[in-house]
Amino acid sequence: MEGIQKVDLTNVKPYGDTLNDGMVQMSFTLPVPYGDEASEAAKQLVSKMGFDEPAVVYSKDLGVGYTYFVMYGKCTHTVDYTTIEVPKVDIEFMDRHQVEDYIKENIKRDVVIVGACTGTDAHTVGIDAIMNMKGFDGNYGLERYNGIEAINLGSQVPNEELIAKAIEFKADAILVSQVVTQKDVHIANLTQLVEMMEAEGLRDKMILVCGGPRISHELAQELGYDAGFGSGSFANHVATFVVKQIVERNLI
Amino acid sequence: MRLIEDILKNNYETVSIIGLAKNAGKTVALNYLIEEAAINNINIGITSTGRDGENTDLVTQTQKPSVYVREGMYAATAKKTLLLSDAKTEILETTGISTPMGEVIIVKIRQGGNIQIAGPVSVTDMKYVAGRLKHFGAQIVFIDGAIDRKAVSSPAATDACIMATGAVLSRDMKKVIEKTAHAVECYTLKQTTDEIKRMISKKNKTCIILHDGSVIVPEIETSITGGKKISELIDENAECVFVKGAVTTALLKDLWENKYLRGIEVIIEDGTKLFTDINVWNEMRQKGLKVVTLNNINVVAVTLNPVSPAGYFFDSALFRESMEKHIPAVKIVDVVSGGDAE
């Protein structure tokens, strides 16, 4: 394969037309009236962002003195891909039917999972995608699973109410979704739940999982959760983790 | 007397460092204690329930201080973090406890340097690891808490605790002092008598003790939602009430509805079980709510960090003076500028 440049994984930069040209496309709006001055302002801004050869490839008058831009620029920075390590939930995921069979063979009773969007957060998209019957993006939610009793408490559930419900339903696992994260309100909210569970002596008895766009497995574990699921996670991922943990930790 | 000597004199073998908020200065406090221990020739062990010594914060992407360890110290940390550290270490044993960063390993530091610390997350595992560090020769084991978690400071887990607070709690110094004073108040509540303790430990459940020495156990699954039921059982014959587990604002409000509660003591397990709103708590306390604990927590010091990573800071002398005035019973140490005064 002579002539083909090899990728240097210790110095990775964006690919446009050729390797390492660093080409990036970006778009933004500036609160200035459409015109040559606006384009110049956009170019100067992109230059300040650290891009070489900034270029306006498209601009549109949005009215009321605002202009929209699509820009190109060459990124001058690189990252060392070889040193990157992202801790993930390190198990082989099963699909819905496999999870159902696994429950039948290994747990031999219904698994109870209580989920909620806690604190002031009213955004149920995350918990609904995982729990609701219809699921998300072609992946059915936990309510559809045979052998799983899924209880979705909805949004703005206080931590103490979530714990009380988990005790009432004798839950095996608690799922917490946090979508709103301004001022890192999700952190204080998530730690309070763990602290309350420790105080109630429940932490070792239930599997505790959190999820949301700004939640990684690494963060979740630092907060004291068993696992964290970020964007792109589906019900079968969460279900696999929960049922395997039940067996591993002997919570049958 | 200096902080480290205080700890040694009181025979506290395991000391937790907890933060009242994220970035309150737990790691800075830990570094300060490592240095003090080195000066005073005290052999210590360190571990963490979260992660310490990494360069950038997982949530805010701000810079974090590194942990600098000295020769002869002991540490318990996960395998992968050990590989990222530049201190030279001798592996003493592996523990079989797994963390997201790999198995927890007990090491002795052979050559000083920066280290990353990530220990066990659960309180049960932490007690085991602290025991092993002591076994190998650590006179005091310091356990750094994670984020703003405090379960590790429960007397069931550690002998004493250091509370880290700082400007990060609020831009308003008054609010920082108020929150810190509240936390200290909860932690240093009086302990109940040995006799009552004996009676409660026999049941080990939420219960009401009557004047004649008999004990009523309400039929509830958890005190969190059982406030009303507990309250119904309190009458003129009640001597005191014991609440097991988390004590929430709603629970206290339910109990407070009962007028007989005014004269008697509410007993909780320890200060880490209180989850009450600061305003509700203060109001009830002023009206005469009496709360005592089964086991009190030894708060050896409150450490101050006058700088917030959000970019603002307090006048450190003023911050310290105000804190000392409001929390006279506990040693206040500014770990960023000054350390502790003689």
Side-chain angles (χ1 to χ4, degrees):
Chain A
M1 299 288 276
E2 220 176 304
I4 294 182
Q5 222 179 327
K6 235 183 140 231
V7 179
D8 175 9
L9 289 177
T10 60
N11 284 302
V12 176
K13 63 197 300 195
Y15 169 91
D17 303 313
T18 55
L19 191 65
N20 293 332
D21 60 8
M23 203 54 104
V24 172
Q25 178 184 320
M26 71 203 97
S27 63
F28 53 80
T29 302
L30 290 181
V32 295
Y34 176 77
D36 291 343
E37 288 78 11
S39 294
E40 182 54 30
K43 272 198 268 186
Q44 284 189 15
L45 188 64
V46 169
S47 177
K48 277 189 182 169
M49 289 178 192
F51 290 99
D52 272 351
E53 301 174 33
V56 178
V57 292
Y58 177 76
S59 66
K60 174 135 178 96
D61 188 358
L62 294 179
V64 293
Y66 282 64
T67 310
Y68 174 75
F69 300 94
V70 175
M71 310 283 300
Y72 280 1
K74 284 187 172 176
C75 176
T76 51
H77 304 285
T78 63
V79 291
D80 185 351
Y81 180 79
T82 58
T83 60
I84 290 173
E85 198 164 339
V86 182
K88 291 185 198 94
V89 179
D90 194 13
I91 50 173
E92 227 169 90
F93 292 114
M94 300 184 279
D95 65 20
R96 178 164 63 99
H97 301 293
Q98 288 169 321
V99 169
E100 288 170 349
D101 292 343
Y102 188 89
I103 293 172
K104 232 180 269 167
E105 278 162 34
N106 298 292
I107 303 176
K108 300 184 180 77
R109 63 169 173 86
D110 277 6
V111 171
V112 183
I113 301 179
V114 174
C117 189
T118 57
T120 51
D121 199 340
H123 299 70
T124 59
V125 286
I127 197 74
D128 287 349
I130 301 297
M131 297 197 84
N132 282 9
M133 183 82 72
K134 70 176 162 65
F136 173 67
D137 201 13
N139 294 272
Y140 289 133
L142 298 176
E143 285 176 359
R144 174 94 56 166
Y145 285 55
N146 283 325
I148 290 183
E149 192 189 330
I151 300 149
N152 186 349
L153 300 175
S155 68
Q156 297 190 325
V157 179
N159 284 325
E160 56 245 58
E161 195 181 316
L162 176 57
I163 291 178
K165 289 283 180 202
I167 294 171
E168 186 187 330
F169 292 115
K170 296 193 168 48
D172 295 293
I174 295 182
L175 309 185
V176 190
S177 167
Q178 294 281 276
V179 176
V180 172
T181 56
Q182 85 271 41
K183 293 196 175 175
D184 292 328
V185 64
H186 62 305
I187 301 291
N189 203 12
L190 288 168
T191 49
Q192 195 199 37
L193 180 67
V194 184
E195 298 283 81
M196 268 193 196
M197 289 190 65
E198 288 269 14
E200 285 288 298
L202 291 172
R203 184 63 196 91
D204 297 332
K205 295 174 191 150
M206 287 183 195
I207 294 153
L208 194 54
V209 173
C210 58
R214 273 187 67 198
I215 287 167
S216 64
H217 186 48
E218 191 182 11
L219 175 65
Q221 295 220 311
E222 178 158 0
L223 293 171
Y225 284 68
D226 292 312
F229 291 89
S231 317
S233 304
F234 297 113
N236 67 305
H237 299 142
V238 178
T240 305
F241 180 79
V242 169
V243 296
K244 286 204 170 162
Q245 278 282 303
I246 290 175
V247 172
E248 221 169 85
R249 280 166 49 182
N250 213 0
L251 298 171
I252 305 167
Chain B
M1 192 178 297
R2 298 190 76 85
L3 179 53
I4 194 97
E5 293 168 329
D6 260 349
I7 295 168
L8 206 61
K9 194 192 73 186
N10 284 301
N11 289 321
Y12 298 142
E13 292 184 340
T14 50
V15 179
S16 55
I17 304 170
I18 56 156
L20 295 187
K22 218 178 123 44
N23 303 327
K26 290 187 299 287
T27 309
V28 184
L30 180 65
N31 274 328
Y32 173 76
L33 289 161
I34 292 172
E35 202 183 307
E36 288 281 291
I39 295 168
N40 291 282
N41 278 323
I42 299 166
N43 235 331
I44 62 165
I46 58 168
T47 185
S48 169
T49 60
R51 203 173 153 194
D52 275 300
E54 78 270 40
N55 295 328
T56 48
D57 189 290
L58 218 53
V59 182
T60 56
Q61 308 299 330
T62 46
Q63 280 230 322
K64 287 183 75 170
S66 48
V67 178
Y68 189 85
V69 287
R70 312 292 180 114
E71 189 185 324
M73 279 177 55
Y74 299 89
T77 186
K79 198 171 146 190
K80 281 184 201 164
T81 53
L82 206 53
L83 297 174
L84 295 169
S85 305
D86 59 24
K88 298 278 176 291
T89 58
E90 173 193 341
I91 294 173
L92 298 175
E93 84 179 2
T94 57
T95 61
I97 298 165
S98 72
T99 77
M101 300 302 289
E103 188 180 350
V104 176
I105 291 170
I106 303 204
V107 297
K108 183 171 184 151
I109 314 298
R110 285 299 176 191
Q111 191 189 325
N114 290 323
I115 196 168
Q116 289 201 18
I117 303 279
V121 177
S122 100
V123 171
T124 324
D125 289 341
M126 187 50 89
K127 277 168 81 173
Y128 170 78
V129 166
R132 295 311 293 165
L133 286 167
K134 276 188 276 183
H135 165 83
F136 283 111
Q139 292 165 270
I140 310 167
V141 176
F142 289 105
I143 303 169
D144 203 349
I147 318 246
D148 61 348
R149 295 203 46 205
K150 50 186 182 173
V152 70
S153 62
S154 160
T158 46
D159 300 333
C161 114
I162 290 169
M163 222 181 244
T165 186
V168 69
L169 267 71
S170 169
R171 277 180 191 268
D172 182 354
M173 196 195 290
K174 257 200 221 144
K175 287 225 172 84
V176 178
I177 291 168
E178 186 184 79
K179 281 183 186 171
T180 310
H182 174 67
V184 172
E185 186 193 348
C186 292
Y187 267 44
T188 52
L189 287 166
K190 250 188 21 222
Q191 194 167 318
T192 185
T193 61
D194 286 346
E195 197 194 330
I196 288 179
K197 208 172 152 174
R198 243 194 326 275
M199 289 171 85
I200 292 171
S201 52
K202 257 189 242 162
K203 297 281 177 202
N204 198 22
K205 275 185 187 152
T206 294
C207 61
I208 296 147
I209 297 174
L210 305 182
H211 290 312
D212 63 7
S214 55
V215 180
I216 314 173
V217 178
E219 278 184 45
I220 48 169
E221 288 206 67
T222 164
S223 309
I224 292 180
T225 47
K228 289 217 162 62
K229 276 198 182 157
I230 303 169
S231 183
E232 279 166 18
L233 295 170
I234 301 171
D235 56 23
E236 69 268 27
N237 295 318
E239 172 87 26
C240 56
V241 188
F242 169 62
V243 180
K244 190 177 161 64
V247 179
T248 60
T249 307
L251 170 68
L252 276 187
K253 278 186 176 162
D254 282 341
L255 291 182
W256 196 240
E257 298 272 295
N258 188 318
K259 67 174 173 140
Y260 293 106
L261 197 80
R262 305 291 192 276
I264 64 171
E265 281 178 345
V266 176
I267 304 165
I268 61 171
E269 283 178 85
D270 61 65
T272 64
K273 307 292 189 281
L274 276 174
F275 295 91
T276 47
D277 178 78
I278 183 165
N279 295 323
V280 175
W281 170 263
N282 285 342
E283 194 193 322
M284 284 188 189
R285 292 281 282 181
Q286 269 162 19
K287 286 184 184 159
L289 173 72
K290 292 188 207 116
V291 182
V292 295
T293 63
L294 224 44
N295 300 297
N296 68 343
I297 300 173
N298 302 305
V299 181
V300 278
V302 170
T303 66
L304 306 183
N305 178 2
V307 184
S308 163
Y312 61 90
F313 53 89
F314 297 155
D315 179 287
S316 61
L318 178 68
F319 188 36
R320 183 191 167 130
E321 273 165 32
S322 323
M323 200 63 93
E324 277 170 344
K325 214 167 77 195
H326 285 86
I327 310 172
V330 180
K331 189 180 196 111
I332 312 284
V333 185
D334 182 338
V335 282
V336 177
S337 49
D340 59 336
E342 293 299 324

